[in-house]
């Protein structure tokens, strides 16, 4: 069973890497790698990869629950229509979350050396994503809000920001010793104590998702994934399911 599970997860990682590789223009990927040190084991691709896995898990649950609500398979919930996501939203929402996760680590070190970090990096992000028409203005505004405001965004105003905020809170476990209060979480999966245990454990162990290595290969880079991650990722592959 372990062998079969690893094969399934490996195939999932291959498909996931291919999807992200298609969504990220190679020129933009090269620019990111040249601007930020994604090899950093604390604030590099490991962080982005785990965040994106968490966001995708949360998104899966939001979509599946709302699809069930729409079909009448489960009872109605107290969720305003603006906060509901459906299968037709999946790709567009995941693309926005992907850019948030890739950009989020960039400002961390800049805050220590540049008092105008948010203004200056927003200009950079604008050049990379908006001027090149990789994303539209509405998506760009959400991405910037997620990157700079993180879990401090206003809850229940934008479901994409709620998803990202919950993923960040789980990721904070890497540096926090206290247990996470489910009441501060915003999404259905975020409030699930069982999944929270796994999410926080992966963060504390600083795991590197397998698909990062595959994405790096597809993009022809050697400076996106730190050298130890391939070996560690293979060792942890049995726990690396996306959802």
């Amino acid at each position: 069973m372990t062998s079969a599970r690893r094969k399934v997860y490996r195939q999932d990682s291959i498909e996931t890497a291919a999807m992200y590789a298609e969504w990220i223009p190679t020129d933009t990927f090269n620019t990111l790698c040249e601007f930020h040190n994604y090899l950093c084991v604390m604030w590099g691709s490991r962080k982005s990869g785990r965040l994106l896995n968490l966001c995708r898990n949360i998104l899966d649950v939001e979509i599946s629950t709302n699809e069930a609500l729409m079909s009448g398979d489960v009872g109605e919930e107290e969720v305003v229509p603006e906060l509901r996501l459906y299968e037709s939203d999946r790709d567009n929402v995941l693309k926005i979350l992907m850019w948030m996760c890739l950009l989020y680590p960039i400002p961390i070190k800049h805050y220590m050396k540049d008092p105008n970090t948010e203004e200056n990096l927003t200009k950079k992000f604008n050049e990379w994503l908006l001027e090149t028409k990789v994303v539209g203005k509405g998506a760009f505004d959400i991405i910037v809000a997620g990157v700079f405001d993180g879990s401090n965004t206003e809850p229940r105003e934008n479901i994409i920001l709620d998803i990202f905020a919950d993923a960040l809170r789980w990721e904070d476990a890497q540096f926090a010793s206290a247990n996470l209060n489910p009441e501060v979480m915003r999404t259905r999966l975020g409030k699930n104590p069982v999944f929270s245990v796994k999410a926080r454990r992966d963060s504390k162990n600083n795991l590197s998702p397998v698909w990062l290595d595959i994405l790096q290969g597809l993009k022809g880079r050697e400076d996106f994934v730190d050298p130890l991650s391939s070996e560690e990722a293979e060792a942890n592959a049995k726990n690396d399911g996306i959802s």
Side-chain angles (χ1 to χ4, degrees):
M1 289 182 65
T2 299
S3 176
R5 186 167 61 244
R6 286 187 175 183
K7 287 180 181 179
V8 170
Y9 286 159
R10 178 68 183 181
Q11 184 59 37
D12 192 26
S13 294
I14 292 171
E15 293 173 0
T16 295
M19 176 177 68
Y20 294 145
E22 181 180 349
W23 289 353
I24 306 171
T26 299
D27 287 347
T28 308
F29 190 80
N30 290 338
T31 298
L32 289 176
C33 291
E34 289 159 10
F35 186 84
H36 179 68
N37 179 20
Y38 282 96
L39 297 175
C40 175
V41 296
M42 297 302 294
W43 298 106
S45 61
R46 289 179 184 235
K47 175 71 69 177
S48 294
R50 286 196 308 274
L51 276 173
L52 190 44
N53 277 5
L54 291 171
C55 287
R56 190 173 173 190
N57 277 285
I58 298 171
L59 177 61
D60 284 346
V61 172
E62 291 297 313
I63 289 174
S64 62
T65 304
N66 290 328
E67 292 282 350
L69 286 170
M70 187 171 63
S71 66
D73 291 341
V74 299
E76 189 69 15
E77 287 188 356
E78 296 279 340
V79 179
V80 297
E82 291 79 8
L83 294 177
R84 293 180 180 173
L85 295 171
Y86 299 98
E87 191 59 44
S88 57
D89 301 311
R90 183 183 297 276
D91 283 2
N92 288 335
V93 171
L94 188 55
K95 287 177 183 177
I96 292 173
L97 290 166
M98 177 192 72
W99 288 114
M100 279 187 201
C101 295
L102 287 172
L103 298 179
Y104 179 76
I106 294 179
I108 303 300
K109 293 181 179 178
H110 284 261
Y111 282 126
M112 295 184 287
K113 59 184 179 181
D114 180 5
N116 298 313
T117 289
E118 184 169 346
E119 178 183 352
N120 291 333
L121 284 181
T122 298
K123 290 179 181 178
K124 286 288 185 184
F125 298 163
N126 184 83
E127 292 174 10
W128 301 343
L129 301 182
L130 200 53
E131 292 181 10
T132 55
K133 298 182 180 179
V134 173
V135 301
K137 181 65 167 61
F140 181 78
D141 290 342
I142 297 172
I143 291 166
V144 169
V147 170
F148 291 110
D149 295 334
S151 56
N152 293 319
T153 53
E154 195 66 30
R156 296 181 65 80
E157 286 193 354
N158 185 299
I159 185 59
I160 302 176
L161 294 175
D162 285 348
I163 290 171
F164 192 61
D166 277 4
L168 285 175
R169 286 195 173 96
W170 279 326
E171 263 299 301
D172 285 344
Q174 190 172 8
F175 311 106
S177 57
N179 290 328
L180 185 64
N181 184 353
E183 292 184 5
V184 305
M185 304 298 276
R186 306 181 185 183
T187 64
R188 296 177 176 100
L189 189 60
K191 297 179 184 299
N192 185 305
V194 176
F195 188 85
S196 182
V197 170
K198 179 192 183 304
R200 287 166 61 80
R201 183 179 65 240
D202 288 353
S203 175
K204 285 182 179 293
N205 292 335
N206 199 22
L207 296 186
S208 180
V210 174
W211 60 263
L212 290 173
D213 300 84
I214 303 170
L215 175 61
Q216 174 174 260
L218 291 173
K219 289 300 186 181
R221 302 289 305 198
E222 295 182 351
D223 54 358
F224 183 64
V225 181
D226 62 280
L228 290 177
S229 73
S230 296
E231 187 177 324
E232 293 176 357
E234 289 300 326
N236 290 300
K238 63 181 182 299
N239 298 316
D240 193 44
I242 301 301
S243 59

